[in-house]
Amino acid sequence: MTAPEEPAPSDQELADALVEGVGGDHAPGEFTADDFAESGEPRVMTGGARVGEVNAGDDVVFRDKISHNYFGGGPTARGREPAPLSLARDTLEDVREAFVPPPGFADLDLGERLLIVRICSGRGGGTAATRLLLDAGAGAVKELAPDTSLRRLTAERLEDGTGYLLRNATSGVLDELTEFEIARLRAALGDRSGWLVLTVDPRVRLAEGVLSRYIGELGDPPPALEVLTAHLRRHLRQQDPDGTRAAEILADPSVVTLLDDSADREDRVARAASFARILADAAKADDFDLAKIQAQLKRLTDRSFEAWFDALDAGTRCFVIALATLPGYSYEIVSDAAGDLAAELIPPVPPAPGAPAPDPFRVRRTQRLEAALARVSQRPVTTRYGTTPMEVVRFIDPSLSRQVLNRVWTEYADIRETLLKWLRAMAQHPVGEVRYGAARAAGVFAVQAFDYVRRYVINPWAASDVPMSRQAAALSLEVPGRDPSVSQATRRMLYDWHLDTSDAYLRNTAARTYGGLLGLIDPGPALDAFAHLATAADRGLPTVVANSVTRLVVRGDESVALQVVRRLRTWTAGAAVDPPEGSRRATRGMTAQQEKDDIRARTFVAYLSFLTCAVDAVLVNPVDEREDAAAWHGLLWLAHRNDAIAAVVADLWGGALVHPIAHQAAHNVLTVWAERVDGDPVGRRALADLLVAAVRAPDRSRARVTLRRLVRTWQDSREAVAPRTAATVSTALTALGEAA
């Protein structure tokens, strides 16, 4: 006998749940590295103002509640190629501010929107191509996977004003470029005001007759000293605005010796850029011993890295592995993690009869750091009890982290099981930074052995009933998700996880993952997935979706924020959403009642997501340099900057003010907004303009009445919460009424 379905919750029950979900106990200032530290990306909204942590304490994307969405629909959805990978902000800033053009660069021309640059791999072709795209006017640069089929680059799949890069194109890719295909591709790029640059090894044979007008050549790389100079000045720009310290460093003869050691290497330009970062880090850490740095770097050429690592004693090797997993974290955390790994890898040996007990003071920290090619420096850390100093440890050369992890995985097969067990244990660590480090390391290993690591680490994390493990799974997928060799497999797996045929915990993990870098790279599929997940009420999916939406707005640019709020508005309007291919709903079909229930559930999650983002995304710093400027809420700031975002956010407020599910939570959040800008006249005016737009339409009379009633509570209560904001908004509403 089939159990009867539970009745759908009433409007009041949903309204209560929304108030609870949006107005829970927030702990300002308490957050974890898991929330925003992925891949080192800054908490920046476009324009440079920093956005605050999502103030849901340890529960940002850890709390469990609801979610639903769909992934494009149609028979090709599951097999679609992944979206191109966006180049990191730091990479673009390096290219903009520290690029040294090689011979032949000035002759390259993107006037035809398509260019093939012949240059040997590892000699800066990708960097030159990126700068060429930026100079052409590209607002963003995205990298195509090596096996991308150029025939599938249609205008529908390209983004406006975007430059596309395909490094080290193979002969198979170039064979697609027939005369007809070139004309079609150029037309598609022209329709989107886009450009495409391919780099190709000179040894690859090209159809010169067809492609001759689209081929450019680059000469030898620029002088390494020029590259070092440009990058050093960039890295020290804030601490050394006039370039005095950079000039002092460059004047030291030992710096030239550093470059001479790699003068004959193909990657000498890349190494010069790396040396600049190392020298700048040492100068910033006030630990600038050039002779020491020079001695350490000499041990790190390709031909000696393996010898350096293999010569370390077991304890130091464990420390190096722990540091590679947790770069830039406190010395105590790294040391403890190294001790845990050593305890797993090195069985205790009972002392011989009469032998002295092991000496706990045998290895000093300075000796271990010297052997590990690492340094310790102090940095201030904000805690719930104020700012305190912390000693952080990192490699002299940051690139060692990835090299160490790759070396350990590929050359020491006997320790893989223990290594993965160690990472699984660290994923439960009480410190969020440790959990993130463990997840990132698992992702690095997954690039080399995707199926193995997926089976033994990522899948168990994703299906776990422990929220921290599910978060670790979500974070671990960001490394393979950005690697062209396994990106497509990663995204197909994620797509399967989000379907209603998957375990509820896997769906929870999918929602978390779509709220990270993979959602920023390709917001469309993430928002489609949220629409499907929003119809499920188990495992906390509503709150996970709401927090993931907030993270996309906080960490994305204005185009991402606009896509997000537009999609939320679509859901609040009650639009039906086709179920995704492969889901039970798509296979079995849906009744009219099921469609109605899905729309209602999606409406609830839309308002929960909108109001969570409205209250939790907050600028860290004041919005401008005025003495009375406040740190606005992020959606207000975005609406003030961007008319398109303002129109959608106003529409969402207009609906939320009177919707039976959302009205009480909306009143609470708007009151928080009013309080924040009460001392900021520009903020008060911005909020008033937004709210007038929200209730201006003739069919928004109920919203106008509701808003006037709410505004009166800001100044009429015994302890007025926002009297100046109330006055500004009231004046604007009066003017609106007179104009009508």
Side-chain angles (χ1 to χ4, degrees):
M1 182 176 179
T2 304
E5 292 188 4
E6 294 185 5
S10 66
D11 284 350
Q12 187 58 51
E13 288 172 325
L14 290 176
D16 291 343
L18 193 58
V19 170
E20 181 182 358
V22 174
D25 291 333
H26 298 304
E30 293 185 31
F31 61 100
T32 68
D34 296 333
D35 299 333
F36 293 102
E38 295 88 323
S39 300
E41 295 213 0
R43 299 186 299 276
V44 177
M45 295 176 88
T46 303
R50 292 188 169 274
V51 173
E53 303 76 31
V54 175
N55 292 327
D58 291 340
D59 245 354
V60 177
V61 193
F62 281 81
R63 271 185 305 185
D64 288 337
K65 257 193 170 184
I66 265 197
S67 141
H68 175 232
N69 199 306
Y70 107 110
F71 189 78
T76 62
R78 299 187 71 157
R80 69 182 257 180
E81 291 181 0
L85 304 180
S86 299
L87 295 191
R89 288 171 175 158
D90 284 349
T91 299
L92 293 179
E93 288 304 306
D94 276 343
V95 173
R96 285 191 179 99
E97 301 182 19
F99 176 69
V100 180
F105 179 80
D107 299 327
L108 299 180
D109 183 12
L110 262 176
E112 302 286 350
R113 298 197 175 274
L114 170 68
L115 184 66
I116 302 169
V117 178
R118 304 183 76 161
I119 185 170
C120 292
S121 177
R123 303 191 72 178
T127 301
T130 301
R131 179 56 183 259
L132 193 66
L133 290 166
L134 293 174
D135 288 348
V141 178
K142 299 196 171 187
E143 183 167 1
L144 298 166
D147 57 352
T148 295
S149 172
L150 297 180
R151 292 189 178 94
R152 300 178 74 175
L153 289 183
T154 61
E156 292 72 23
R157 300 190 64 184
L158 298 173
E159 297 181 27
D160 291 333
T162 298
Y164 293 89
L165 166 64
L166 198 160
R167 302 176 198 254
N168 304 320
T170 64
S171 56
V173 171
L174 296 167
D175 287 344
E176 293 186 29
L177 291 176
T178 62
E179 191 168 352
F180 172 82
E181 187 60 26
I182 290 172
R184 184 205 63 78
L185 185 58
R186 288 182 55 222
L189 290 165
D191 289 344
R192 290 295 193 176
S193 300
W195 302 267
L196 171 63
V197 178
L198 302 89
T199 67
V200 58
D201 191 290
R203 293 168 293 185
V204 175
R205 297 184 62 183
L206 301 176
E208 298 282 354
V210 175
L211 300 177
S212 57
R213 62 187 290 195
Y214 307 104
I215 297 174
E217 303 273 353
L218 284 177
D220 290 335
L225 184 58
E226 290 186 25
V227 175
L228 177 72
T229 301
H231 281 265
L232 183 63
R233 287 174 176 165
R234 159 163 160 66
H235 289 305
L236 291 178
R237 182 179 54 200
Q238 289 186 339
Q239 295 79 12
D240 181 37
D242 61 357
T244 302
R245 181 63 178 131
E248 291 175 354
I249 294 172
L250 293 166
D252 194 310
S254 297
V255 172
V256 178
T257 304
L258 283 176
L259 298 177
D260 289 343
D261 290 341
S262 57
D264 298 328
R265 295 167 58 100
E266 283 292 318
D267 64 345
R268 57 187 178 273
V269 171
R271 288 183 66 80
S274 178
F275 290 164
R277 184 176 62 250
I278 293 166
L279 294 171
D281 286 346
K284 292 175 186 177
D286 198 23
D287 182 27
F288 196 85
D289 185 339
L290 194 54
K292 178 181 175 182
I293 294 172
Q294 183 179 10
Q296 290 175 320
L297 290 178
K298 283 184 177 179
R299 299 156 63 187
L300 293 177
T301 61
D302 286 345
R303 56 185 175 272
S304 65
F305 165 77
E306 293 82 0
W308 162 74
F309 183 80
D310 294 345
L312 298 172
D313 64 78
T316 302
R317 208 176 295 177
C318 288
F319 181 84
V320 165
I321 295 170
L323 181 54
T325 304
L326 305 170
Y329 298 138
S330 77
Y331 181 86
E332 292 78 12
I333 283 178
V334 174
S335 184
D336 287 348
D340 292 341
L341 180 59
E344 295 286 346
L345 287 176
I346 308 170
V349 178
D359 182 4
F361 301 101
R362 180 176 57 86
V363 179
R364 292 182 292 113
R365 186 175 78 165
T366 52
Q367 293 174 312
R368 178 141 288 171
L369 291 172
E370 177 66 25
L373 303 179
R375 74 156 60 90
V376 166
S377 59
Q378 282 201 345
R379 75 175 184 199
V381 176
T382 302
T383 71
R384 71 174 69 184
Y385 302 115
T387 301
T388 62
M390 176 184 289
E391 286 190 322
V392 298
V393 58
R394 51 171 51 92
F395 288 116
I396 294 289
D397 183 354
S399 67
L400 272 180
S401 291
R402 191 67 176 258
Q403 292 185 66
V404 167
L405 293 177
N406 288 340
R407 174 73 174 170
V408 169
W409 186 265
T410 57
E411 295 297 329
Y412 299 95
D414 289 346
I415 72 166
R416 286 177 182 169
E417 183 176 353
T418 301
L419 202 59
L420 296 181
K421 178 182 177 183
W422 176 65
L423 292 179
R424 287 196 296 269
M426 285 207 296
Q428 307 299 318
H429 199 279
V431 177
E433 293 156 327
V434 177
R435 298 194 295 271
Y436 171 63
R440 171 188 165 276
V444 171
F445 296 150
V447 171
Q448 300 181 79
F450 182 82
D451 199 55
Y452 181 88
V453 178
R454 175 189 67 81
R455 289 174 182 271
Y456 291 101
V457 178
I458 297 176
N459 254 65
W461 278 347
S464 171
D465 61 355
V466 178
M468 286 188 296
S469 294
R470 296 196 295 275
Q471 185 68 5
L475 294 170
S476 71
L477 291 178
E478 297 194 344
V479 179
R482 291 184 68 88
D483 190 287
S485 66
V486 290
S487 174
Q488 189 160 352
T490 302
R491 299 188 205 193
R492 286 179 175 173
M493 179 181 72
L494 184 59
Y495 178 85
D496 283 345
W497 283 359
H498 101 285
L499 296 175
D500 57 12
T501 55
S502 292
D503 174 83
Y505 287 127
L506 289 178
R507 304 190 75 200
N508 181 296
T509 303
R512 297 165 186 265
T513 309
Y514 279 122
L517 286 181
L518 296 185
L520 291 174
I521 292 170
D522 201 1
L527 294 169
D528 289 343
F530 293 154
H532 180 50
L533 292 164
T535 59
D538 53 356
R539 305 303 180 196
L541 279 173
T543 300
V544 174
V545 170
N547 287 325
S548 292
V549 164
T550 300
R551 294 172 74 224
L552 291 181
V553 171
V554 168
R555 301 179 63 214
D557 57 20
E558 291 179 20
S559 67
V560 172
L562 182 58
Q563 288 185 65
V564 169
V565 294
R566 279 177 172 169
R567 191 68 66 94
L568 295 181
R569 181 175 62 178
T570 299
W571 298 345
T572 62
V577 176
D578 292 335
E581 180 187 357
S583 66
R584 287 195 186 97
R585 285 172 167 78
T587 303
R588 300 176 182 176
M590 297 173 63
T591 66
Q593 184 59 46
Q594 286 174 327
E595 290 184 354
K596 183 178 179 181
D597 290 343
D598 278 6
I599 289 173
R600 200 156 179 266
R602 198 176 295 115
T603 300
F604 168 72
V605 173
Y607 278 124
L608 176 62
S609 300
F610 170 62
L611 294 172
T612 297
C613 183
V615 76
D616 284 347
V618 183
L619 301 180
V620 169
N621 297 321
V623 71
D624 54 43
E625 301 300 321
R626 292 175 292 114
E627 289 186 4
D628 51 5
W632 298 3
H633 281 84
L635 280 183
L636 177 60
W637 178 71
L638 283 169
H640 185 63
R641 290 170 50 85
N642 187 301
D643 290 341
I645 294 175
V648 183
V649 171
D651 206 26
L652 285 166
W653 276 125
L657 279 167
V658 295
H659 197 285
I661 290 175
H663 67 96
Q664 186 58 59
H667 297 177
N668 294 346
V669 174
L670 273 180
T671 300
V672 174
W673 277 29
E675 290 182 75
R676 181 168 289 271
V677 299
D678 196 59
D680 183 339
V682 177
R684 297 196 298 269
R685 184 70 252 175
L687 179 56
D689 290 344
L690 186 65
L691 293 180
V692 165
V695 301
R696 177 182 288 121
D699 60 349
R700 287 282 168 83
S701 58
R702 279 185 59 219
R704 286 195 293 275
V705 172
T706 299
L707 181 58
R708 288 183 184 277
R709 190 179 302 131
L710 174 63
V711 169
R712 284 197 294 271
T713 68
W714 298 345
Q715 62 185 166
D716 292 347
S717 59
R718 184 171 301 174
E719 295 181 2
V721 294
R724 286 171 289 187
T725 304
T728 303
V729 177
S730 294
T731 300
L733 289 173
T734 299
L736 175 64
E738 292 172 352

